[in-house]
Amino acid sequence: MIETLTLTPGTLTLEDCRRLYRERLALALNPDAREAIADAAATVARVIASGAVVYGVNTGFGKLASTTIPADRLEELQKALVRSHAAGVGEPLDDAVVHLILALKANGLGRGHSGVRGEVIDALIALTNTGVMPVIPSQGSVGASGDLAPLAHMSAVLIGEGEARRGGERLSGPAALQAAGIEALILAPKEGLALLNGTQVSTALALAGLFEIDQVFRAALVAGALSVDAAMGADTPFDARIHALRAHPGQAAVAASIRALLRGSVIRASHLDCDRVQDPYSLRCQPQVMGAVLDHLRFAAGRLVAEANAVSDNPLVFPAEGEVISGGNFHAEPVALAADQIAIAAAEIGALSERRTALLMDANISTLPPFLVAEPGINSGFMIAHVTAAALASENKQLAAPTSIDSLPTSANQEDHVSMATHGARRLLPLAANLRRIVAIELLAAAQGVELRRPLATSAVLGEAIAEVRAVADFYDRDRLMAPDIEAVAARIAEGAFDRFVDLPLDEPGG
């Protein structure tokens, strides 16, 4: 049975958003929200009846805002807006992302400052609950005025146009409405604009990227701890006293996590009195690097939750004062900057992981067989797996280049500064896919290195992590096709197999 999440607009948590993305929860609108929604719609009706000219209600859009639309053409105006703005291109967004977009749009409209009727929100919820996902092209938004093109494709289904998917089947707009059990909406004044304006696409994409990268972050901490043991590294750099002197919460938390992962390692106990003075930075400075990553992911998470609960269309309706005010909440700069933070942090996770894999290849540093295989020369071992990690890490550095610093004026220079949040958020998912494979390669290499230390053993916890690797990839005793093992371990990361080893939630204070 599908679990239902009751939307109390403006109160979504990070965990709610994660579950909406991962689990495809059904939605229900809290009945207490309906009064505010109705008041806002009534305010729009009163403004129109008064003869006032209000942007987007009875005017054109963007550069055409000075054109007043007669009352008998307001319905036509809203439908024309949806049709003209459905100009997106590219591959459709994944259904999991679309599911989150629908929920975020219902959440924002449900706060009662957008002027839409309750049936508009009900229609969005009906699509969600019946698994009818509008086909939304992934390209075409610059992140101001909101995610216009992609949200127009979403909205087209509500008026019986466009396309949707259900269970892998492509449906026409009318067929989609039939599958959802609803009638096509006849959009009232402002409703088309309220649906199209908003940052829900860029926010959903950024949240999706955050959730995927957070999962790989956890696996990377496990891989890093395994690499410490595989290379016979020291655990003294993780001493709590070191990190207490710097007061970065993520750094202290990561150090504590690595200490817990290594606790009880026989490998570590075997070389307490060795003559190595210091380990390379990729081992020794994990708390400093991964802690900074954690702090910035937490900060970005906080901004994205705030945006998930925001009213980000324009103009906004204030029923208590009877006013409709034009502003700029559709500008997605908060999302753009958060997405850049996440991308840069993810690139650093991969950069550090690749360096540890490289370290394990070097017998002079690791004291393991060259490239972690018996009979090196006959066997090449992990040589080219590391090259793949290096290629992916380099690609991620390019993907992490900031998008928020770019802007191109649109709408005949009316929209003269835009955020580029949407593709800044969209690139997080391919970046996460690369990162997953980088860390999968390190998990394979580090597990191999630890097992080459037998009869010495790692900690019990890391032994469980190795068992997760070995569930899908055998010990590498001689050369074989490596790609299937990389993909299998990457899939285990995506399935959450390593989540249980690291308890560092993103919604804790810090950053």
Side-chain angles (χ1 to χ4, degrees):
M1 183 175 177
I2 299 175
E3 186 177 343
T4 298
L5 174 70
T6 299
L7 273 181
T8 300
T11 66
L12 284 176
T13 66
L14 186 66
E15 185 58 24
D16 290 336
C17 293
R18 190 192 303 268
R19 294 188 66 202
L20 285 164
Y21 172 64
R22 295 280 190 206
E23 301 176 32
R24 318 285 177 85
L25 302 176
L27 295 176
L29 181 65
N30 188 329
D32 293 343
R34 292 197 178 271
E35 183 178 355
I37 294 166
D39 286 348
T43 300
V44 172
R46 282 194 296 271
V47 167
I48 294 170
S50 74
V53 176
V54 180
Y55 170 72
V57 176
N58 50 13
T59 73
F61 306 102
K63 194 72 171 180
L64 302 176
S66 59
T67 302
T68 302
I69 309 300
D72 62 352
R73 303 194 71 184
L74 295 183
E75 181 184 312
E76 179 187 350
L77 172 70
Q78 298 300 310
K79 180 175 280 191
L81 175 70
V82 174
R83 287 171 168 167
S84 67
H85 284 48
V89 298
E91 290 297 311
L93 295 176
D94 184 78
D95 284 352
V97 173
V98 176
H99 185 270
L100 184 53
I101 291 168
L102 291 169
L104 296 187
K105 178 53 82 173
N107 186 51
L109 295 180
R111 288 189 60 182
H113 290 282
S114 300
V116 304
R117 295 163 297 153
E119 45 258 60
V120 175
I121 300 168
D122 293 338
L124 291 168
I125 290 173
L127 293 181
T128 305
N129 293 352
T130 55
V132 176
M133 299 291 107
V135 173
I136 301 178
S138 57
Q139 295 171 285
S141 174
V142 295
S145 300
D147 295 314
L148 294 171
L151 288 173
H153 285 274
M154 177 201 77
S155 303
V157 175
L158 297 177
I159 64 172
E161 301 186 13
E163 290 184 297
R165 287 187 300 244
R166 189 187 194 197
E169 181 185 0
R170 199 96 165 210
L171 303 173
S172 67
L177 292 178
Q178 185 176 11
I182 56 176
E183 299 291 329
L185 287 177
I186 298 174
L187 297 174
K190 194 185 177 300
E191 288 182 341
L193 184 59
L195 285 164
L196 269 59
N197 244 184
T199 62
Q200 287 80 25
V201 173
S202 53
T203 303
L205 283 165
L207 283 166
L210 175 71
F211 298 145
E212 299 293 350
I213 288 162
D214 173 46
Q215 192 167 61
V216 189
F217 169 83
R218 295 164 188 261
L221 284 182
V222 174
L226 274 172
S227 289
V228 169
D229 253 5
M232 283 197 155
D235 58 359
T236 50
F238 314 126
D239 189 307
R241 293 169 295 178
I242 296 172
H243 308 288
L245 294 176
R246 208 172 187 193
H248 292 298
Q251 179 176 324
V254 166
S257 183
I258 296 174
R259 288 197 304 273
L261 289 167
L262 288 167
R263 190 171 295 125
S265 168
V266 178
I267 294 175
R268 174 55 184 141
S270 73
H271 63 97
L272 288 172
D273 299 320
C274 69
D275 57 1
R276 185 187 294 177
V277 178
Q278 289 185 326
D279 293 324
Y281 290 177
S282 61
L283 298 180
R284 182 168 27 126
C285 296
Q286 290 184 73
Q288 288 79 6
V289 177
M290 295 293 276
V293 165
L294 177 60
D295 283 340
H296 284 274
L297 290 180
R298 283 175 168 172
F299 179 81
R303 294 306 85 219
L304 292 176
V305 171
E307 192 65 17
N309 286 300
V311 183
S312 57
D313 61 287
N314 185 62
L316 298 178
V317 182
F318 295 90
E321 297 83 9
E323 295 184 57
V324 182
I325 304 175
S326 186
N329 276 6
F330 51 72
H331 200 298
E333 193 74 7
V335 181
L337 290 171
D340 280 347
Q341 272 191 299
I342 295 166
I344 292 167
E348 284 297 271
I349 297 171
L352 200 65
S353 176
E354 181 276 326
R355 286 294 80 205
R356 290 190 299 264
T357 299
L359 179 154
L360 294 175
M361 301 301 104
D362 188 341
N364 293 319
I365 300 175
S366 70
T367 70
L368 291 164
F371 303 106
L372 303 175
V373 71
E375 296 188 275
I378 292 293
N379 293 308
S380 296
F382 283 73
M383 180 188 296
I384 304 305
H386 167 248
V387 172
T388 297
L392 294 173
S394 182
E395 185 176 320
N396 273 2
K397 292 171 189 176
Q398 295 171 25
L399 285 172
T403 62
S404 59
I405 60 174
D406 185 25
S407 180
L408 280 173
T410 59
S411 191
N413 287 311
Q414 173 75 6
E415 298 157 6
D416 59 349
H417 180 277
V418 299
S419 71
M420 300 299 181
T422 318
H423 70 263
R426 177 165 48 83
R427 53 78 194 261
L428 295 177
L429 289 171
L431 198 156
N434 289 342
L435 182 60
R436 202 175 290 119
R437 293 179 173 100
I438 295 168
V439 174
I441 290 167
E442 185 189 0
L443 283 166
L444 285 161
Q448 181 87 359
V450 166
E451 290 180 332
L452 287 169
R453 298 291 182 191
R454 289 171 175 164
L456 298 177
T458 188
S459 69
V461 174
L462 290 178
E464 292 179 29
I466 291 175
E468 293 288 355
V469 174
R470 292 290 170 248
V472 293
D474 294 335
F475 180 82
Y476 200 84
D477 57 350
R478 63 175 63 87
D479 280 352
R480 64 172 186 263
L481 293 179
M482 182 70 81
D485 289 352
I486 296 169
E487 296 295 353
V489 175
R492 293 296 289 146
I493 295 172
E495 292 160 4
F498 300 93
D499 291 0
R500 62 190 172 96
F501 300 114
V502 175
D503 183 20
L504 293 173
L506 289 181
D507 50 4
E508 285 194 358

